[in-house]
Amino acid sequence: MTISYTRTDMLPAMAPPVSQRGLVKWLRENMLSTRLNVALTVLATAFIAFVAWNIFPWFWNSVWNAGSLAECRAIVAASAGEGASGACWAFLKPWWGAFIFGHQYPVSDRWRPVLAFGLLFVALAPILFAGQRRNLTIIFSVVAAYLLLTLYLASAPGLAFALAMLLVAGLVAVSQVQPERLLWFTLLYPALCFWLLWGGSIWSPIVAMAGFGVLYAIFRFASPVIGFAPAAGAGVVAAVLWWLFADAPLAGTLQEMIPVDLLRVPSDKFGGFLLAIVIGVTGITFSLPIGILLALGRQSDMPIVKMLCVIFIETIRGVPLITLLFVAAFVLGFFLPPEADFDLLLRVLILVTFFAAAYLAEVLRGSLAALPRGQYEAADALGLDYWRAQRLIILPQALKISIPAIVSSFIGLFKDTTLVVIVALYEPLKGITHLVRQDVNWKGIYWEPYIFVGVIFFLFCFGMSRYSKYLELKLKTDHR
Amino acid sequence: MAEAAKMQVSDEVAIQISGMNKWYGQFHVLRDINMTVMKGERIVICGPSGSGKSTLIRCVNRLEEHQQGQIIVDGTELTNDLKNIDKVRSEVGMVFQHFNLFPHLTILENLTLAPIWVRKVPKKEAEETAMYFLKKVKIPEQALKYPGQLSGGQQQRVAIARSLCMRPRIMLFDEPTSALDPEMIKEVLDTMIALAEEGMTMICVTHEMGFAQAVANRVIFMDQGQIVEQNEPKEFFNNPQSERTKLFLSQILGH
């Protein structure tokens, strides 16, 4: 026997045998691999079938048109036989508006939240789908169709309707020519949204936004002269002075000269999903930057900055959100001067934002720690300063690692908006549902309103979850 | 391979380290380091692990802080002054053992990032420079891929090109081939040899003694945080003076 061997030709790759591909392989491996697994598969299938069998008729016998619960039950009994169960969704017709806008939001002005909601997606699209013209076009077309339909249904005044359509058309045109310019709309959107939802004079949000303009202008012109940090400080001081002293009189004067205003709707008239979305979107938008700063601060070499961040994070995380909301609503009032008219919803927004930011900061701290030290060193060795290294090298990677966790906490935040019921705001899950169940016509209804609210929440949360999945795939560059 | 003697060493000082000491807590890592590097010199630092050789070159661009003594790089003294540190770092390129490319950016973006943001070079010009250096390290076709798609040797060559894009006057190499397969070591060494032939001032921590013999004009042996011996490569390898050096050389060359 000889031990010498030389291969003369290399073997080509071949397709695997049938048992190793497709459905057969999947079934064998996942459902029927051992006797125990066969038994479990049979049991699980039987259980699913049993549950479906019992729940299905309830959905199948659903009634959508009726004036009261009693009427609903009569219809079910008539169509499916005595004793049959059936869902009654007919309460949605009279209560739809309350679920969406809250029962106190003026009916004549419901087109405003509708418009703000449509424009929200226009404002978000350039961020969520940066540089993807096709996705932008799809979103814009859907929003245009949505606005056409809903503004009509909400009987928006002709002028508002026309302006909204003009705005969307203009933005579509911009998206085709210079998509990056769309970010300007995103920047202006908060002011526009505020004006649409709360109403009042158009000049208040415009003059308030001008404060940011003042900040930027001072920073821009002062920073070459007195340096980066002092210029930023001076800008902030000037902006605060602007908001404190120039804001109200200027807005008032402008309003007298050119009156443009909408019916003012105070915060306590907000309710339903309008309330949930306002709190959720505001919390999500502002908690991300604050959370990033807190996470960086906690990693900072500067002891005071670090200590402040740690105290903030640990305090907020250590207290239940309900307690914070309670403090915001009732306890804060004792400490503020009686004439201070500090809007309840605004207090709630601030606390929810802080709460989410503290959690985000901890999530991000984890991914910052997970980045190899070499990344920091390479950034340093190339001469990037701290902020550039964070912005260009560290944060993109840290945020990418933590996308699932960040989106989880956003989903949690959105669902936590239902907790504002504790401070007597009419959120959909308990607030509005409670009203429905107190209604004489619908007394005794139990599952349906909760299922309805649950389904809507699910749609939003599932949407966020899918988007995070999409983003993860899009940003996947490690090719492992 | 290049003849070390052919390459010019000027009489201008590039790096001056005098009386430098460094501690990690109680541990005295670098002890009284004195060393002058001329422009155009190619220095190889070797020694057992834990001897402080990496720490030494990481002090040169202040990735590590020294507590005593003086380090002057290209006329700028390294102190706590951030401006000086940033200036030195933009003049000194560094190549790491584990490449440390930015995995979320393409190769081209890895190369243009620092020139654009630190040197304020226009994007187009930075890209041209990047392509020039990618051609030099012989992988221009990988420009649009991500680091994760490249082999170790290719990644290390990209890392070298990334440093070169900043047009550094001095290059530091921290065990650039230690994490590579034998087949890839050569491609990286070839790149470094080509760089040496162009007259780049280089300090290289490595165990590649072939490289040291081919291009270095000085080999420094370190142990326990001190410079134990330094000499021309020929003398260093053929006629080591200290017992510690002899032992080290017999261990790394003796198999």
Side-chain angles (χ1 to χ4, degrees):
Chain A
M1 195 189 120
T2 169
I3 57 162
S4 150
Y5 168 80
T6 313
R7 182 175 285 288
T8 50
D9 51 356
M10 304 302 270
L11 299 175
M14 290 192 301
V18 186
S19 65
Q20 289 303 307
R21 33 181 179 171
L23 186 63
V24 180
K25 171 180 151 82
W26 185 83
L27 273 178
R28 274 194 189 191
E29 280 186 358
N30 296 304
M31 301 297 229
L32 311 166
S33 59
T34 62
R35 270 185 206 173
L36 177 65
N37 277 0
V38 172
L40 286 176
T41 304
V42 170
L43 268 178
T45 316
F47 176 73
I48 293 170
F50 174 78
V51 171
W53 184 253
N54 280 285
I55 290 181
F56 179 73
W58 189 74
F59 280 106
W60 182 253
N61 297 332
S62 288
V63 175
W64 294 90
N65 277 307
S68 69
L69 187 61
E71 210 175 299
C72 259
R73 295 208 167 128
I75 295 174
V76 171
S79 64
E82 207 58 48
S85 70
C88 179
W89 306 104
F91 73 92
L92 282 175
K93 210 171 220 174
W95 283 98
W96 175 262
F99 269 113
I100 304 300
F101 307 101
H103 62 297
Q104 290 170 311
Y105 203 91
V107 177
S108 61
D109 286 69
R110 281 180 179 172
W111 61 272
R112 282 156 45 181
V114 160
L115 178 58
F117 185 67
L119 293 180
L120 171 67
F121 288 92
V122 176
L124 284 180
I127 298 178
L128 297 186
F129 299 100
Q132 306 208 329
R133 198 169 288 190
R134 212 182 64 116
N135 283 339
L136 283 185
T137 314
I138 293 174
I139 288 191
F140 282 22
S141 334
V142 171
V143 168
Y146 156 88
L147 283 180
L148 264 179
L149 183 68
T150 51
L151 286 182
Y152 170 73
L153 287 179
S155 45
L159 182 62
F161 194 98
L163 282 178
M165 284 303 140
L166 208 62
L167 179 61
V168 173
L171 289 169
V172 168
V174 173
S175 79
Q176 297 305 315
V177 191
Q178 282 179 311
E180 59 283 357
R181 291 282 163 93
L182 285 173
L183 284 173
W184 284 106
F185 179 72
T186 309
L187 278 179
L188 295 177
Y189 177 76
L192 177 61
C193 178
F194 173 81
W195 184 59
L196 281 175
L197 294 182
W198 276 268
S201 157
I202 194 176
W203 297 108
S204 330
I206 291 181
V207 175
M209 285 300 258
F212 288 106
V214 169
L215 197 168
Y216 179 74
I218 288 192
F219 171 72
R220 183 67 194 276
F221 291 112
S223 90
V225 188
I226 55 174
F228 183 86
V236 169
V237 170
V240 169
L241 289 177
W242 171 273
W243 285 319
L244 283 181
F245 300 110
D247 196 297
L250 190 58
T253 320
L254 282 165
Q255 171 67 13
E256 270 167 31
M257 285 158 60
I258 317 166
V260 182
D261 57 354
L262 289 170
L263 176 66
R264 183 180 288 281
V265 183
S267 298
D268 52 8
K269 300 258 186 286
F270 283 48
F273 282 103
L274 169 62
L275 185 66
I277 292 172
V278 164
I279 299 174
V281 171
T282 314
I284 287 172
T285 321
F286 291 100
S287 66
L288 189 59
I290 297 176
I292 290 175
L293 289 179
L294 283 173
L296 293 181
R298 194 166 186 173
Q299 288 226 317
S300 166
D301 298 331
M302 292 178 273
I304 294 182
V305 171
K306 184 175 175 158
M307 198 179 67
L308 287 177
C309 290
V310 171
I311 291 174
F312 182 89
I313 292 171
E314 297 302 340
T315 314
I316 299 266
R317 281 203 322 158
V319 180
L321 179 57
I322 290 186
T323 314
L324 289 177
L325 290 173
F326 201 75
V327 169
F330 305 119
V331 185
L332 225 55
F334 294 122
F335 299 104
L336 294 172
E339 68 275 10
D341 179 27
F342 198 28
D343 192 277
L344 173 62
L345 184 53
L346 185 61
R347 290 186 238 170
V348 167
L349 285 176
I350 292 174
L351 273 178
V352 168
T353 304
F354 282 175
F355 191 75
Y359 274 86
L360 275 186
E362 285 302 282
V363 163
L364 273 173
R365 188 167 70 100
S367 17
L368 286 174
L371 280 191
R373 251 175 73 90
Q375 293 292 311
Y376 294 87
E377 288 176 353
D380 282 347
L382 285 170
L384 293 167
D385 60 33
Y386 176 80
W387 289 107
R388 285 203 187 110
Q390 295 298 337
R391 185 159 64 87
L392 299 167
I393 311 296
I394 306 303
L395 284 176
Q397 296 185 60
L399 287 171
K400 191 180 89 176
I401 305 175
S402 40
I403 288 172
I406 291 178
V407 174
S408 277
S409 66
F410 283 167
I411 288 175
L413 161 68
F414 186 56
K415 291 188 295 186
D416 280 351
T417 59
T418 52
L419 293 178
V420 299
V421 73
I422 201 84
V423 293
L425 289 172
Y426 283 94
E427 52 71 48
L429 184 65
K430 179 93 171 43
I432 303 292
T433 302
H434 200 62
L435 293 177
V436 174
R437 296 179 60 214
Q438 283 180 331
D439 186 338
V440 182
N441 289 328
W442 306 102
K443 228 171 176 73
I445 200 161
Y446 187 70
W447 290 100
E448 291 88 342
Y450 291 118
I451 291 179
F452 168 71
V453 173
V455 166
I456 304 271
F457 266 109
F458 175 81
L459 288 180
F460 277 106
C461 297
F462 187 65
M464 285 194 249
S465 164
R466 294 313 295 176
Y467 175 74
S468 95
K469 201 87 193 158
Y470 156 85
L471 201 60
E472 267 178 79
L473 276 179
K474 190 180 118 182
L475 299 179
K476 189 173 189 296
T477 56
D478 54 357
H479 306 282
R480 255 180 283 182
Chain B
M1 274 202 177
E3 286 285 324
K6 274 193 214 158
M7 289 179 262
Q8 288 293 310
V9 172
S10 90
D11 50 3
E12 244 179 288
V13 175
I15 303 170
Q16 172 84 51
I17 302 176
S18 40
M20 191 260 274
N21 281 280
K22 173 170 177 59
W23 288 263
Y24 283 131
Q26 287 296 309
F27 180 54
H28 198 171
V29 232
L30 291 176
R31 307 178 194 178
D32 190 33
I33 304 288
N34 290 289
M35 153 179 187
T36 307
V37 180
M38 297 299 179
K39 212 158 257 178
E41 268 203 295
R42 294 135 339 251
I43 293 176
V44 163
I45 303 180
C46 59
S49 58
S51 59
K53 49 197 194 307
S54 286
T55 311
L56 172 59
I57 68 165
R58 288 157 61 88
C59 283
V60 173
N61 66 351
R62 194 77 169 186
L63 286 185
E64 302 283 354
E65 210 173 299
H66 61 280
Q67 282 92 31
Q68 238 177 48
Q70 207 179 28
I71 303 179
I72 301 173
V73 181
D74 216 22
T76 310
E77 184 179 355
L78 283 171
T79 56
N80 281 324
D81 188 345
L82 287 176
K83 259 192 190 129
N84 282 356
I85 295 175
D86 283 340
K87 181 157 178 276
V88 166
R89 281 175 178 169
S90 64
E91 306 279 330
V92 178
M94 184 153 200
V95 175
F96 299 87
Q97 180 177 0
H98 295 289
F99 332 134
N100 297 353
L101 295 177
F102 305 130
H104 62 301
L105 300 176
T106 63
I107 301 303
L108 193 62
E109 287 165 343
N110 263 280
L111 267 63
T112 54
L113 184 115
I116 290 175
W117 290 99
V118 180
R119 288 246 190 278
K120 315 278 180 208
V121 176
K123 186 168 179 229
K124 195 154 179 294
E125 198 185 318
E127 281 176 356
E128 280 164 14
T129 315
M131 287 314 291
Y132 169 78
F133 283 111
L134 276 183
K135 278 188 195 114
K136 237 175 170 173
V137 300
K138 304 199 177 68
I139 33 175
E141 71 281 0
Q142 313 284 2
L144 299 178
K145 290 194 183 163
Y146 286 94
Q149 292 167 292
L150 269 54
S151 75
Q154 289 173 326
Q155 290 194 43
Q156 193 59 297
R157 284 185 282 157
V158 170
I160 295 174
R162 177 174 71 178
S163 296
L164 292 178
C165 282
M166 287 292 281
R167 308 273 184 190
R169 301 180 189 208
I170 299 162
M171 285 286 286
L172 308 173
F173 292 85
D174 189 1
E175 306 207 29
T177 55
S178 302
L180 295 176
D181 292 342
E183 279 183 325
M184 296 168 184
I185 291 180
K186 185 175 177 306
E187 61 188 54
V188 170
L189 289 182
D190 285 347
T191 309
M192 289 166 62
I193 290 168
L195 198 56
E197 282 169 352
E198 285 172 15
M200 175 67 78
T201 312
M202 295 165 66
I203 304 183
C204 186
V205 172
T206 184
H207 295 126
E208 295 298 328
M209 291 303 138
F211 172 78
Q213 274 162 332
V215 295
N217 61 331
R218 184 150 44 123
V219 180
I220 292 177
F221 175 69
M222 287 184 70
D223 189 29
Q224 293 175 23
Q226 308 157 61
I227 296 180
V228 174
E229 187 163 348
Q230 60 170 319
N231 214 329
E232 287 174 6
K234 211 179 244 173
E235 279 294 296
F236 179 84
F237 289 110
N238 297 336
N239 191 14
Q241 299 298 310
S242 115
E243 285 307 314
R244 187 66 190 90
T245 316
K246 283 179 195 161
L247 179 67
F248 178 75
L249 286 177
S250 74
Q251 274 166 348
I252 64 164
L253 299 174
H255 57 82

